[in-house]
């Protein structure tokens, strides 16, 4: 009874699973799907051209016939459609297509033997496929299932040669047999193209990868894709982590991105959590620190610092001529704030100023706190999301006393100049590489437009195929498994009949 009561108490929690907000969200619209259809149609044509049809042989009265070496010579897939189907599906239809074939014929009639080629065409070809999309165990988008139906309305063949009348007599058997065999090969070919080849393309989407030597990013899907009649939405975790502690992640309390637009081919949304987790990971990795010493300290600033701390330096004689060392280090993970008016980053840090006499311990002159606000320009280039930072506000104060804070007032302007001319270029050089957006290889963004919202920003863009599907798939095509035993070459003489 007690166990039953516990189960009843837990039931609401089991039924209503918590919704994890994404740090990154991607929406593909009908306009983007139309571009994918154009590239995908070329891929389907190439796959159907590689259809292999089994040999057809039989006997009708005194006639023995064999049809072999069937190959597709031409396809006309004029009427095609690729559209979203609500829940988790993509529907791909081809209507009233035609397939031209060429095959080898062999006929044995009593003592007469005939061999040659036949041209045939399959008309009124209809193919209906539905692809089911889902999140796999690794958090990657995959085609989990496919349903396919194919039919051929009519088929024609042109016979010639001395035994043309005989072939016309046998055409009913030959054509119906070829029609059946061809229709039976269309769906298996498309199933292999989807579940094996297209999934190998989706394998090129980064899920958990290194950004640099310090941090990595997790782009695993949080849930199965959400498909409406006009859009496909993908919710990614979008969290950075320090590579030294890959299991450590920042908890997401940010606003969930909401994409309402459908005009562009694709939209990518990033919440404040996406950027906060990056800065938190860098902070945990211990790399949010910059040290300037000796000649790296600007000369004008060094003169001012020595004048400001002259008394302290004089009391530390004979270390007056020792090099200065400035250590600027974040005291807490920086925070990102996204508003409709723009994006900014708040940084709390401390600046330690020391003398470094050769062969002697360093002498600390001052330790001051800094509050800085940076403006952030976020932009997309190719598939790389990049950030350009600029100093907006800057304030220093002493951690020891208000009197010392007043004495530091004269350092406000030169230290701000130091940040603008020396520190900010170093930071922007580190962010120059950016981070990759989870798109398959060969697909890039163009005509990007960034729009800020409350708590998140969106990038609307069009898509561009820098590489064809076939090129990428061939690069990552799974290696074929060798057959257990080599098959014998078929005979081409009349004995095969």
């Amino acid at each position: 009874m007690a166990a039953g009561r516990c189960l009843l108490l837990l039931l609401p929690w089991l039924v209503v699973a918590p919704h994890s907000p994404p740090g990154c969200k991607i929406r593909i619209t009908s306009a983007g799907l139309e571009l994918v259809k154009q590239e995908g149609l070329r891929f389907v044509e190439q796959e159907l051209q590689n259809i292999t049809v089994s040999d057809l042989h039989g006997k009708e009265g005194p006639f023995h016939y064999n049809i072999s070496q069937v190959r597709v010579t031409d396809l006309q897939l004029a009427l095609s459609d690729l559209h979203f189907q609500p829940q988790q599906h993509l529907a791909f239809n081809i209507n009233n297509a035609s397939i031209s074939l060429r095959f080898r014929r062999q006929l044995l009639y009593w003592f007469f033997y005939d061999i040659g080629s036949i041209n045939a065409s399959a008309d009124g070809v209809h193919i209906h496929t539905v692809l089911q999309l889902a999140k796999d165990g690794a958090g990657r988008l995959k085609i989990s299932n496919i349903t396919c139906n194919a039919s051929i309305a009519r088929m024609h063949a042109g016979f010639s040669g001395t035994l043309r009348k005989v072939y016309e007599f046998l055409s009913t058997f030959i054509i119906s047999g070829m029609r059946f065999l061809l229709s039976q090969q269309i769906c298996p070919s498309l199933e292999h193209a989807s579940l094996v080849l297209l999934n190998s393309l989706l394998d090129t989407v980064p899920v958990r990868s290194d950004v640099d030597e310090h941090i990595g990013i997790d782009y695993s899907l949080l849930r199965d894709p959400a498909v409406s009649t006009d859009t496909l939405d993908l919710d990614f975790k979008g969290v950075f982590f320090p590579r030294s502690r890959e299991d450590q992640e920042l908890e997401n309390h940010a606003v969930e991105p909401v994409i309402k637009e459908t005009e562009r081919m694709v939209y990518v949304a990033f919440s404040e959590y996406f950027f906060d987790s990056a800065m938190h990971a860098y902070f945990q990795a211990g790399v949010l620190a910059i040290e300037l010493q000796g000649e790296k300290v600007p000369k004008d600033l060094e003169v001012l610092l020595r004048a400001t701390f002259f008394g302290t330096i004089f009391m530390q004689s004979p270390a007056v001529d020792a090099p200065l060392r400035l250590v600027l280090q974040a005291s807490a993970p920086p925070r990102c704030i996204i508003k409709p008016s723009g994006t900014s980053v708040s940084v709390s840090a401390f600046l330690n100023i020391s003398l470094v006499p050769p062969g002697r311990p360093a002498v600390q002159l001052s330790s001051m706190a800094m509050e800085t606000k940076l403006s952030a320009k976020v932009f997309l280039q190719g598939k790389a999301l990049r950030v350009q930072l600029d100093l907006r506000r800057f304030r220093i104060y002493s951690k020891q006393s208000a009197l010392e804070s007043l004495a530091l007032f004269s350092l406000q302007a030169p230290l701000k100049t130091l940040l603008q001319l020396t520190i900010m270029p170093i930071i922007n050089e580190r962010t120059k590489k950016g981070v990759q957006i989870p798109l398959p290889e060969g697909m890039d963004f163009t005509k990007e437009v960034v729009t800020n919202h409350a708590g998140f920003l969106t990038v609307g863009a069009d898509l561009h195929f820098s590489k064809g599907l076939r090129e990428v798939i061939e690069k990552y095509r799974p290696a074929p498994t060798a057959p257990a035993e080599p098959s014998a070459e078929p005979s081409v003489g009349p004995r095969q009949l």
Side-chain angles (χ1 to χ4, degrees):
M1 292 295 293
R5 286 194 297 269
C6 291
L7 182 60
L8 289 174
L9 291 173
L10 289 173
L11 190 58
W13 296 95
L14 296 174
V15 173
V16 183
H19 178 84
S20 301
C24 171
K25 187 168 191 164
I26 291 182
R27 163 170 288 184
I28 300 174
T29 67
S30 296
L33 195 63
E34 180 63 26
L35 178 69
V36 173
K37 186 197 83 170
Q38 296 173 12
E39 183 64 27
L41 194 59
R42 284 192 287 269
F43 172 68
V44 169
E45 288 178 349
Q46 293 165 350
E47 285 300 303
L48 292 180
Q49 284 178 342
N50 294 325
I51 284 178
T52 57
V53 180
S54 303
D55 293 353
L56 178 67
H57 55 85
K59 177 183 177 184
E60 286 296 326
F63 300 103
H64 296 257
Y65 61 89
N66 186 71
I67 301 299
S68 62
Q69 300 179 14
V70 181
R71 61 186 181 92
V72 177
T73 59
D74 186 46
L75 290 102
Q76 297 294 328
L77 308 180
L79 301 177
S80 62
D81 175 58
L82 177 65
H83 63 271
F84 296 117
Q85 190 164 302
Q87 301 304 322
Q88 302 165 21
H89 302 97
L90 288 177
F92 181 59
N93 298 316
I94 295 175
N95 295 309
N96 203 27
S98 64
I99 303 176
S100 298
L101 305 168
R102 187 176 180 83
F103 49 86
R104 186 172 181 268
R105 71 173 190 262
Q106 291 173 287
L107 178 67
L108 182 63
Y109 175 64
W110 296 108
F111 300 106
F112 296 97
Y113 176 66
D114 181 58
I115 186 171
S117 297
I118 298 178
N119 294 320
S121 65
D123 299 321
V125 180
H126 298 275
I127 305 171
H128 176 68
T129 57
V130 177
L131 307 177
Q132 182 172 358
L133 304 176
K135 174 180 75 74
D136 70 1
R140 179 179 275 112
L141 178 67
K142 283 297 182 70
I143 300 172
S144 61
N145 192 25
I146 176 174
T147 58
C148 176
N149 294 294
S151 63
I152 299 174
R154 54 198 173 275
M155 194 162 185
H156 307 281
F159 300 100
S160 61
T162 56
L163 299 180
R164 180 171 60 87
K165 293 295 183 180
V166 175
Y167 280 113
E168 289 177 353
F169 169 74
L170 296 173
S171 64
T172 303
F173 307 101
I174 295 175
I175 294 303
S176 60
M178 287 299 301
R179 176 180 168 187
F180 173 78
L181 291 175
L182 180 61
S183 63
Q184 291 298 303
Q185 292 302 314
I186 292 175
C187 283
S189 177
L190 294 181
E191 288 171 4
H192 178 265
S194 301
L195 298 177
V196 177
L197 301 183
L198 288 181
N199 274 338
S200 71
L201 174 71
L202 294 175
D203 282 337
T204 66
V205 178
V207 172
R208 194 173 179 91
S209 57
D210 297 334
V211 175
D212 53 31
E213 64 270 26
H214 305 295
I215 68 171
I217 187 168
D218 188 340
Y219 272 131
S220 57
L221 283 170
L222 292 171
R223 55 192 65 90
D224 289 335
V227 181
S228 70
T229 55
D230 300 314
T231 61
L232 182 149
D233 288 341
L234 301 167
D235 289 349
F236 297 93
K237 187 179 289 187
V239 59
F240 295 81
F241 54 86
R243 291 180 57 184
S244 57
R245 288 172 282 182
E246 294 193 4
D247 58 340
Q248 184 174 1
E249 294 180 358
L250 181 67
E251 192 172 351
N252 190 352
H253 297 291
V255 173
E256 180 173 348
V258 178
I259 304 175
K260 297 181 179 179
E261 299 86 355
T262 58
E263 292 77 16
R264 306 296 296 275
M265 291 185 182
V266 64
Y267 292 89
V268 189
F270 304 94
S271 74
E272 292 175 344
Y273 171 74
F274 180 86
F275 302 99
D276 283 347
S277 68
M279 294 180 287
H280 184 269
Y282 274 123
F283 182 80
Q284 293 294 322
V287 295
L288 295 186
I290 296 176
E291 181 178 311
L292 302 176
Q293 182 173 321
E295 295 181 354
K296 292 185 179 180
V297 179
K299 200 64 181 177
D300 294 344
L301 180 61
E302 180 182 1
V303 172
L304 183 60
L305 289 175
R306 287 184 183 276
T308 302
F309 300 105
F310 178 79
T312 305
I313 297 174
F314 183 78
M315 294 298 294
Q316 298 293 334
S317 181
V320 177
D321 294 330
L324 278 176
R325 180 173 66 191
L326 278 62
V327 178
L328 178 63
Q329 185 170 351
S331 56
R335 295 297 305 274
C336 175
I337 302 171
I338 303 176
K339 296 180 179 180
S341 57
T343 303
S344 62
V345 178
S346 297
V347 185
S348 298
F350 59 81
L351 176 64
N352 287 338
I353 303 175
S354 306
L355 285 172
V356 189
R360 298 181 58 185
V363 179
Q364 182 169 303
L365 301 178
S366 179
S367 179
M368 60 187 74
M370 298 175 53
E371 297 291 340
T372 305
K373 180 163 284 191
L374 310 174
S375 62
K377 179 184 177 182
V378 181
F379 59 99
L380 205 58
Q381 191 169 16
K383 276 190 294 191
L385 182 73
R386 299 178 179 178
V387 179
Q388 181 79 22
L389 297 171
D390 190 25
L391 183 61
R392 183 192 297 176
R393 284 187 290 179
F394 171 77
R395 183 174 74 93
I396 59 172
Y397 57 92
S398 172
K399 296 191 293 183
Q400 278 76 34
S401 66
L403 184 61
E404 186 175 2
S405 295
L406 185 61
L408 294 175
F409 184 77
S410 61
L411 294 176
Q412 185 89 15
L415 284 177
K416 185 176 181 179
T417 302
L418 170 70
L419 286 175
Q420 288 176 323
L421 299 182
T422 306
I423 307 301
M424 294 307 300
I426 296 175
I427 295 175
N428 283 322
E429 184 63 28
R430 291 181 178 179
T431 62
K432 185 178 180 180
K433 180 182 177 183
V435 61
Q436 296 297 305
I437 305 303
L439 277 185
E441 183 177 334
M443 188 179 291
D444 294 321
F445 296 107
T446 61
K447 303 177 184 177
E448 308 89 349
V449 176
V450 179
T451 305
N452 279 48
H453 305 272
F456 65 96
L457 59 85
T458 59
V459 182
D462 290 336
L463 291 172
H464 166 70
F465 280 95
S466 58
K467 297 179 182 178
L469 287 179
R470 173 64 56 185
E471 180 182 354
V472 178
I473 287 173
E474 289 297 332
K475 180 179 177 180
Y476 295 98
R477 179 188 286 270
T481 55
E485 295 180 2
S487 57
E489 289 292 330
S491 171
V492 295
R495 290 182 182 178
Q496 184 180 345
L497 300 172

